[in-house]
Amino acid sequence: LILTNQHVIGPSEYIAVQFDARRKVAAVLLASDPAKDVAVLWANLAPFPEACAVTIAKPKGDQPVVVEGERVFTIGSPLSLEKILTTGVVSKVEAHRIVSDVNINPGNSGGPLFNHAGQVVGITTFSERGDAGPGISGIVRIEEAAGVLAQARAKMTGAPPSAELLPVEPVETFPFEAVGQLAAGEKLDTRPYQFSAGDFEIVIFTPLINFRLDQEEARAAEKERQKRARKSGTEAAPMPVAEVKDWEKKQEKYKPLIHIRVNPKLRETGGSIFMSIMTRGTTPATLKFKSDFHHLRLLCGGKEVPPIHPGKIARQLNEHNYFVNVSDAAYQGFYVYGPDAISPSCGQVTLEIYSQKDSKVPTTKALETKTVTRVWSDFEPYRNSLSKAGDPDAAPK
């Protein structure tokens, strides 16, 4: 059993547990309590024979498992770092939570809080930063999890979840030396990376496309700044555009991954079209989303490629001006795949997009040869770096 915060799981349809850089398995939610912010997962630990169960501290009578002034520590993976240990002191013990100065960064939610004996006394939950200090952290008292754990154990019937390893992000980084070559290249043609399919707009992002788009945004902003300075009769010192050396600092953003974003299209309502005709186009167009994203399948030669991270992100639009009137919300898809998911060796790469209104019949989009070739070539520097590192088996063929 795996104990975490309920807000970490939320309404997720895909739940997985990752123990190290290469091993990740599916998990199922057994029990949860939103009011206490506690959730219990069940995962098959067969691929992790070295995994050790932690000891949960047990209260003595009506006394809490920690006291004010006691030294505590936590281990988590905040800000995409791995196994970061931070220590602190219990500042206050309340009825349902522990307040401490232990440092909890984004990504640490749902982690264990240990006492000096290595026993779990709480579940790290939130952090509030102060203007002039480190702020405070809130931790769910471990006593709050007792009832949820009992419910979970009662539901542990039948076979455990699958022990099959799921796809993970590559441990190797994208060679930042390749950015200089791209930055000096021709004007970026983004057409192969964006296209339509039914009620959706699809955009494919690669590390090199991300960097080039960042550069173009910076240049466009600098151009506007210089124009504003000329209008005022002054001369503005140029701001530096992202350089190759900045790539190394942003490896987290430019990982060797393929990101596919699926955005629902907007449409003008029938009533809005009627009003536009009646008023000769003087009223703003009322727009609504055409559909709501449900899930995506990427097929390589007819075989599904499992995503590393399948996800949905809520998108809200509230814009009211002379031209448009939009007040709507919908889910958009955000899927992450490995660098070899889109390859000319597939023969045909196809996207199947399922909407909320029809989650069984997909909108199918066969990717053009130009799109597949461009995406594949963007990862050529990455494949070359793997070969040079003496790991030819790791490089996609």
Side-chain angles (χ1 to χ4, degrees):
L1 292 179
I2 298 164
L3 197 59
T4 187
N5 285 137
Q6 194 276 336
H7 80 262
V8 172
I9 306 302
S12 300
E13 298 172 3
Y14 171 89
I15 303 175
V17 177
Q18 185 165 347
F19 280 73
D20 57 26
R22 297 190 183 276
R23 294 179 292 178
K24 180 172 73 170
V25 296
V28 296
L29 176 65
L30 289 178
S32 66
D33 188 329
K36 294 180 178 179
D37 200 8
V38 175
V40 182
L41 309 178
W42 188 16
N44 194 325
L45 302 187
F48 317 103
E50 68 272 32
C52 299
V54 296
T55 302
I56 294 179
K58 296 181 180 180
K60 297 180 180 179
D62 58 353
Q63 297 299 311
V65 294
V66 289
V67 296
E68 295 173 4
E70 185 174 348
R71 176 70 64 177
V72 290
F73 69 95
T74 185
I75 302 173
S77 301
L79 306 174
S80 299
L81 301 174
E82 292 185 3
K83 299 176 182 177
I84 302 299
L85 186 148
T86 55
T87 64
V89 174
V90 174
S91 306
K92 189 176 183 181
V93 179
E94 299 181 341
H96 304 288
R97 69 172 183 171
I98 301 166
V99 180
S100 172
D101 62 353
V102 67
N103 191 14
I104 300 176
N105 289 303
N108 258 3
S109 291
L113 184 76
F114 297 96
N115 61 15
H116 68 282
Q119 299 171 328
V120 179
V121 296
I123 307 170
T124 57
T125 303
F126 70 88
S127 179
E128 294 181 357
R129 298 285 174 235
D131 294 334
I136 61 171
S137 297
I139 301 104
V140 176
R141 285 178 54 170
I142 198 61
E143 297 96 320
E144 297 290 289
V148 187
L149 276 169
Q151 294 175 34
R153 291 192 177 101
K155 294 180 180 180
M156 290 180 66
T157 58
S162 172
E164 180 183 357
L165 292 177
L166 300 177
V168 296
E169 295 184 2
V171 295
E172 302 84 8
T173 59
F174 199 97
F176 65 88
E177 296 88 353
V179 181
Q181 302 172 10
L182 180 70
E186 300 176 355
K187 181 177 175 60
L188 178 64
D189 181 11
T190 61
R191 287 176 294 179
Y193 301 91
Q194 51 189 354
F195 41 86
S196 298
D199 293 340
F200 300 95
E201 297 284 355
I202 298 101
V203 184
I204 298 176
F205 297 93
T206 67
L208 296 185
I209 267 294
N210 284 335
F211 184 81
R212 188 61 177 267
L213 290 173
D214 284 350
Q215 277 212 325
E216 291 199 354
E217 283 185 9
R219 289 195 179 103
E222 174 61 13
K223 186 177 179 180
E224 288 299 316
R225 194 177 73 92
Q226 294 292 342
K227 183 196 287 187
R228 186 171 62 252
R230 287 194 297 271
K231 285 184 177 180
S232 63
T234 60
E235 184 175 348
M239 286 186 174
V241 178
E243 299 179 3
V244 174
K245 64 182 180 180
D246 297 324
W247 175 276
E248 203 167 14
K249 301 175 184 176
K250 298 180 178 179
Q251 284 290 355
E252 174 62 26
K253 182 176 182 180
Y254 305 117
K255 287 183 176 181
L257 297 168
I258 296 172
H259 295 79
I260 301 179
R261 187 181 290 270
V262 184
N263 299 318
K265 293 179 180 178
L266 289 166
R267 64 172 177 83
E268 187 174 2
T269 64
S272 174
I273 295 174
F274 176 77
M275 287 300 299
S276 179
I277 295 172
M278 295 296 293
T279 61
R280 298 182 181 182
T282 59
T283 57
T286 299
L287 304 179
K288 298 290 183 181
F289 284 113
K290 281 189 172 184
S291 190
D292 218 330
F293 175 84
H294 189 270
H295 71 280
L296 170 73
R297 294 178 76 226
L298 170 63
L299 305 178
C300 173
K303 182 180 180 181
E304 183 177 4
V305 180
I308 297 175
H309 303 300
K312 292 193 294 188
I313 303 173
R315 184 187 182 192
Q316 295 182 340
L317 286 180
N318 281 288
E319 187 172 345
H320 308 277
N321 54 46
Y322 182 81
F323 301 101
V324 296
N325 182 14
V326 186
S327 182
D328 199 1
Y331 276 111
Q332 60 182 6
F334 192 74
Y335 277 53
V336 180
Y337 292 90
D340 58 339
I342 297 177
S343 165
S345 65
C346 295
Q348 179 64 65
V349 179
T350 307
L351 297 181
E352 290 184 353
I353 305 158
Y354 295 80
S355 68
Q356 196 75 37
K357 63 183 178 184
D358 195 344
S359 61
K360 298 187 182 300
V361 179
T363 296
T364 301
K365 177 69 176 182
L367 300 192
E368 296 182 0
T369 301
K370 186 176 182 180
T371 297
V372 175
T373 302
R374 285 288 294 272
V375 172
W376 178 254
S377 63
D378 281 356
F379 289 94
E380 187 68 27
Y382 171 71
R383 293 190 294 271
N384 291 339
S385 69
L386 294 183
S387 298
K388 291 178 182 179
D391 189 9
D393 293 334
K397 302 295 190 294

